[in-house]
Amino acid sequence: MFSLNATVPVFSMMVLGYLLHNKTRLLDSRFADCLNTFVFQVALPVQLFQNLATSDFHTIWNGGVVVFCFVTSLLSILLLLGLSFLLRETGLRAEFIQAGYRGSQALLGTALMQNIYGSSGPLALVLIGAVPLYNVAAVLLLTLMVPGGRLDRKALGKAAKGIVTNPIILGIAVGLLWSLLKIPQPVILQRSVSSLAATATPLGLLALGASIEPRKVLGCWKPTVVSSVFKLLVFGALFLPVAIHLGYRGEVLVVILIMLASPATVSCFNMARSMGHEGTLSAGTVVLTTVCSAFTFTLWLYILRTLALI
């Protein structure tokens, strides 16, 4: 029940988004795209800022977790890079790697942490340790492994600018600085920020559900399945025992699990398409991991709860 209480409310919102889009058309594709943009550029950064700004910096910060997230993310990327050379279709290699390591920690991670602990807790540490690396690696891979070998410098520059101005990273940075300096928040600001932050999770999950198109999985199903298995199961099996051995428990262990076993993020498809790739494998992995994570993530939580680690 602990595991189901954490995951079912999250994925039921995604199912509702899927139904509103595919059955009633109340949530069309254009509106879902607008919702997704609003959540990632405004609501989610504000939510992360609020969680950090109202917390004690010295209680939140843990350099060891940041380093662990960076190292495990780098090892995951290198492992997928090695496996990608087994693909006969060279044009799919960059998508295979990116979709296999790049998870939806910000949106689904926040929703899951709120259901389990009531706040996002140390999720910011994972985002600091992993998200910048995720973006840099994605830009390099998608640029250097572009089909036909054509380097689009304009797209590369745009992607590099997007890394520096990533709203989620900026929200975390401002929140940590606010907490470190102990800047008080007037009641008017606090309530306004709280109201805006509250929209992030429900709107984001509805938009994510509306973007699910099962037929996309069939485009190139073999590499899609392999990439999805690594994203949902293999990395967790490899690195969770290391995290447990290092003494991580409770909230910290859950956010590490979110980093290792959350479904692929929709931005995988968007970035792949914008940088000259077909995007079929990326879209398929997003759909398959999102659907299957309802079961795999519940299983991971059940195992950790049974072992009294969370």
Side-chain angles (χ1 to χ4, degrees):
M1 288 308 301
F2 173 88
S3 305
L4 292 173
N5 286 336
T7 57
V8 170
V10 172
F11 293 104
S12 63
M13 287 293 290
M14 291 169 55
V15 171
L16 177 60
Y18 176 81
L19 295 175
L20 289 175
H21 174 67
N22 291 278
K23 301 301 180 182
T24 68
R25 296 294 175 181
L26 290 174
L27 189 59
D28 61 23
S29 298
R30 185 172 179 274
F31 184 46
D33 290 340
C34 291
L35 274 183
N36 196 53
T37 301
F38 167 76
V39 168
F40 279 94
Q41 293 190 4
V42 181
L44 198 54
V46 169
Q47 185 182 77
L48 292 168
F49 162 79
Q50 180 198 35
N51 290 337
L52 294 171
T54 55
S55 304
D56 181 14
F57 174 84
H58 300 289
T59 302
I60 299 171
W61 184 253
N62 187 326
V65 176
V66 174
V67 172
F68 177 84
C69 293
F70 179 86
V71 172
T72 53
S73 298
L74 180 59
L75 292 174
S76 300
I77 294 169
L78 293 175
L79 177 57
L80 289 170
L81 176 62
L83 287 173
S84 70
F85 290 104
L86 298 176
L87 292 175
R88 293 181 180 179
E89 297 183 49
T90 57
L92 295 177
R93 290 175 180 175
E95 288 191 61
F96 171 82
I97 301 166
Q98 186 198 197
Y101 76 76
R102 196 172 181 182
S104 181
Q105 292 96 332
L107 177 58
L108 287 180
T110 301
L112 290 164
M113 287 297 292
Q114 286 177 338
N115 281 351
I116 299 172
Y117 294 107
S119 67
S120 60
L123 182 64
L125 300 176
V126 170
L127 298 177
I128 293 170
V131 171
L133 175 62
Y134 283 0
N135 286 285
V136 171
V139 170
L140 292 175
L141 291 166
L142 293 171
T143 302
L144 298 176
M145 304 173 78
V146 67
R150 303 181 307 275
L151 286 178
D152 189 341
R153 294 185 178 181
K154 186 176 181 180
L156 178 61
K158 183 179 179 181
K161 181 181 178 182
I163 295 171
V164 178
T165 59
N166 188 310
I168 290 175
I169 297 298
L170 292 177
I172 292 171
V174 175
L176 286 173
L177 184 62
W178 200 288
S179 175
L180 180 62
L181 298 177
K182 298 181 178 179
I183 303 173
Q185 286 192 39
V187 175
I188 294 176
L189 175 62
Q190 190 175 17
R191 291 180 178 176
S192 300
V193 168
S194 179
S195 297
L196 183 57
T199 65
T201 301
L203 293 183
L205 293 175
L206 287 174
L208 183 56
S211 68
I212 294 176
E213 297 182 36
R215 65 179 182 275
K216 289 183 177 180
V217 179
L218 302 176
C220 43
W221 68 271
K222 287 183 179 180
T224 296
V225 170
V226 174
S227 180
S228 300
V229 169
F230 271 85
K231 187 72 201 73
L232 298 178
L233 297 171
V234 174
F235 292 137
L238 288 176
F239 298 120
L240 267 182
V242 179
I244 294 168
H245 178 72
L246 292 174
Y248 296 129
R249 300 289 187 275
E251 287 180 287
V252 174
L253 190 59
V254 172
V255 296
I256 290 174
L257 172 63
I258 289 169
M259 178 190 70
L260 296 171
S262 61
T265 177
V266 178
S267 58
C268 289
F269 171 75
N270 297 332
M271 183 172 282
R273 289 288 293 174
S274 68
M275 298 188 71
H277 294 258
E278 186 178 320
T280 304
L281 193 153
S282 299
T285 305
V286 170
V287 172
L288 188 59
T289 55
T290 301
V291 173
C292 293
S293 63
F295 307 98
T296 59
F297 202 88
T298 303
L299 177 63
W300 280 119
L301 286 178
Y302 177 78
I303 292 171
L304 296 180
R305 182 68 170 180
T306 302
L307 296 174
L309 297 170
I310 60 174

